[in-house]
Amino acid sequence: MKNKAEKALEQGKGILRLAPTWVPRSFCVPGRRIKLHPDDYYVLGGVRGGIDERWLSSTTPAKNGPLTGENEGLSAVVYSEGGKEEQILLKDVIEELGGQIIGDRLWNEYKSWPMYSKFFDNMGPLPHHIHHNDEHAAKIGQLGKPEAYYFPPQLNNHGGDFPYTFFGIAPGTTKEQIKECLQNFTKGDNKITMFSQAFPLIPGTGWDVPPGMLHAPGSLCTYEPQKASDVFAMYQSLVNEAIIPEELLWNGTPKEEIGNYDQLMEVIDWDLNTNPNLLETRFMAPIPVKDEAEMAKEGYSEKWVCYRSEAFSAKELTVFPGQTVTIKDAAAYGLIMMQGHGKMGVWNVETPAMIRYGQLTNDEFFVTEKAAQEGVVITNHSSTDPIVMLKHFGPNNPDLKLS
């Protein structure tokens, strides 16, 4: 295994090429904006549901019930062996090479890649749900899950059925009112969003969602950096005229606590949810990483798009047509191409218009810490089209110094 990992690292000169990782959700209807071929959204069979997620730089297995496929949710590294393209799990590469891939800072603390990102692409809204913090997730052997949203313009040619997201609990709501909604889960519509507030979703902006925050994601196609966890519980019983199974209400609850509504209430961070300034504290407009005129002279623009969490961060990099740039970062990162084509290090990079299930692409990569610090050379081969990529980083990014 180590020989394969070292071979992949050497072939990419510090930049690993990744294969697309598709994940179905039985309770979702695909929004069909993540470039999968129209015939392939239900390629795993109706019982698995439609594919409405692509996981990026993931060493985190998907928790999709008893039918979950082997290695579902795990990213694979593509390398050449005897003239053929072979694959090895990114998880295995990192376990074998540790700090050579993610840097000693992260390896020494986490012994793993502690985040991943995804495209979430649902035609309608999701139910009002919650992700547990570390303390509550530990009760079922998982990690807590902060996450963030960014809405890439390139993947949002339409807004889906409901491009609004509910966040939190309206100030003035009592705990008894929310508990009653949870107790009414099996009686049809438990009306929990009556006690929330919705915001319109704007392409090119994002939101921060800490653990313990109730939220009902809207129907824009969403780029979601998050902690390496898949823990959640659904607190809304009916959405978009679809009934949510009661088992998802208790998802994330220890077996001995199932039926205890007080346990569900404990998962809610009440002060976080009832903060009257959600727009001020959770919304994220892009912020340039340095002076925009200075970057433009050098042929590129780069902005922080996710920056309110210590667990991860994300940037959007744009390389202008015909330009060659060298981009340095202090930490390892995964990346996904959103637009354009050209060269990055030894790799050709391109943005496919359509992808078959199982097809390899040249749009997703993982940049090791050493390569990031030395600088990644990117050339835009187009005279008209910018290269745009999204870059997702692990915890406590040394470059992130926003107040």
Side-chain angles (χ1 to χ4, degrees):
M1 186 70 73
K2 189 172 184 180
N3 287 342
K4 295 178 180 179
E6 289 174 337
K7 182 171 287 189
L9 181 61
E10 168 59 26
Q11 287 178 2
K13 305 300 180 189
I15 300 176
L16 304 172
R17 178 189 174 201
L18 302 183
T21 302
W22 307 104
V23 175
R25 295 294 196 188
S26 60
F27 49 83
C28 295
V29 176
R32 298 176 181 265
R33 291 164 295 195
I34 49 176
K35 303 180 181 179
L36 194 58
H37 189 284
D39 290 347
D40 291 349
Y41 280 101
Y42 291 90
V43 70
L44 298 175
V47 69
R48 294 301 319 278
I51 292 172
D52 69 339
E53 296 185 6
R54 178 178 173 181
W55 289 23
L56 309 168
S57 304
S58 172
T59 60
T60 303
K63 303 290 186 182
N64 259 342
L67 298 179
T68 303
E70 184 182 7
N71 298 331
E72 193 161 294
L74 297 176
S75 294
V77 175
V78 181
Y79 68 100
S80 295
E81 180 80 66
K84 293 174 57 181
E85 289 179 320
E86 303 287 350
Q87 297 184 31
I88 179 176
L89 291 178
L90 176 62
K91 178 177 181 289
D92 292 341
V93 172
I94 292 172
E95 286 177 357
E96 290 291 343
L97 302 182
Q100 286 182 260
I101 306 298
I102 62 173
D104 291 338
R105 176 180 65 90
L106 292 180
W107 177 252
N108 291 339
E109 183 167 354
Y110 298 98
K111 301 297 182 190
S112 65
W113 176 237
M115 68 85 65
Y116 67 108
S117 193
K118 68 167 70 165
F119 290 136
F120 166 73
D121 175 40
N122 202 43
M123 182 63 75
L126 272 192
H128 217 34
H129 69 275
I130 200 163
H131 300 293
H132 304 61
N133 64 20
D134 283 334
E135 178 187 352
H136 289 292
K139 295 175 183 178
I140 59 164
Q142 288 205 51
L143 296 171
K145 184 178 172 182
E147 64 184 19
Y149 305 153
Y150 177 68
F151 311 112
Q154 295 88 350
L155 297 184
N156 281 293
N157 58 308
H158 68 86
D161 293 342
F162 191 79
Y164 304 85
T165 286
F166 286 94
F167 285 105
I169 297 169
T173 302
T174 67
K175 292 183 179 180
E176 289 72 25
Q177 287 172 312
I178 297 300
K179 185 176 178 181
E180 183 179 5
C181 290
L182 301 180
Q183 291 170 331
N184 289 336
F185 196 90
T186 59
K187 298 177 182 177
D189 185 359
N190 68 348
K191 298 181 172 65
I192 194 169
T193 53
M194 171 69 186
F195 302 103
S196 186
Q197 50 195 324
F199 298 87
L201 303 181
I202 311 299
T205 69
W207 289 82
D208 178 60
V209 187
M213 167 75 83
L214 276 163
H215 57 292
S219 56
L220 283 195
C221 187
T222 305
Y223 168 74
E224 284 190 48
Q226 55 207 270
K227 194 169 174 177
S229 172
D230 197 23
V231 66
F232 69 91
M234 297 296 187
Y235 279 23
Q236 184 180 359
S237 60
L238 182 142
V239 66
N240 225 23
E241 302 307 315
I243 290 289
I244 308 304
E246 187 188 11
E247 65 194 58
L248 295 181
L249 172 66
W250 301 105
N251 192 52
T253 301
K255 287 182 179 178
E256 66 273 14
E257 295 286 355
I258 291 177
N260 180 0
Y261 292 93
D262 289 329
Q263 174 65 35
L264 298 179
M265 292 297 298
E266 284 182 23
V267 175
I268 300 172
D269 185 325
W270 195 259
D271 290 339
L272 179 71
N273 279 271
T274 56
N275 183 344
N277 300 315
L278 287 179
L279 189 63
E280 177 187 353
T281 57
R282 303 271 72 91
F283 178 72
M284 293 183 294
I287 298 176
V289 302
K290 62 180 185 179
D291 182 72
E292 292 187 87
E294 182 184 336
M295 289 189 287
K297 267 195 211 176
E298 297 175 16
Y300 74 99
S301 172
E302 191 166 43
K303 299 176 181 178
W304 293 105
V305 294
C306 297
Y307 46 79
R308 292 193 184 275
S309 175
E310 293 182 353
F312 52 78
S313 56
K315 296 178 179 178
E316 180 185 71
L317 171 65
T318 301
V319 180
F320 300 145
Q323 299 295 309
T324 295
V325 301
T326 300
I327 303 296
K328 293 184 178 183
D329 286 281
Y333 59 91
L335 72 88
I336 181 71
M337 291 281 293
M338 302 306 301
Q339 188 174 342
H341 71 282
K343 194 90 173 176
M344 180 178 68
V346 301
W347 298 106
N348 293 317
V349 294
E350 59 194 11
T351 312
M354 187 168 63
I355 310 168
R356 294 304 307 239
Y357 185 85
Q359 176 187 340
L360 296 179
T361 58
N362 293 316
D363 68 340
E364 187 182 354
F365 298 86
F366 192 95
V367 179
T368 63
E369 183 181 85
K370 184 171 184 284
Q373 292 176 347
E374 291 177 351
V376 175
V377 179
I378 304 169
T379 299
N380 187 339
H381 287 166
S382 175
S383 62
T384 58
D385 198 22
I387 281 177
V388 182
M389 64 178 69
L390 295 172
K391 301 160 59 174
H392 26 279
F393 299 83
N396 298 306
N397 188 336
D399 288 329
L400 182 57
K401 297 181 174 67
L402 299 171
S403 58

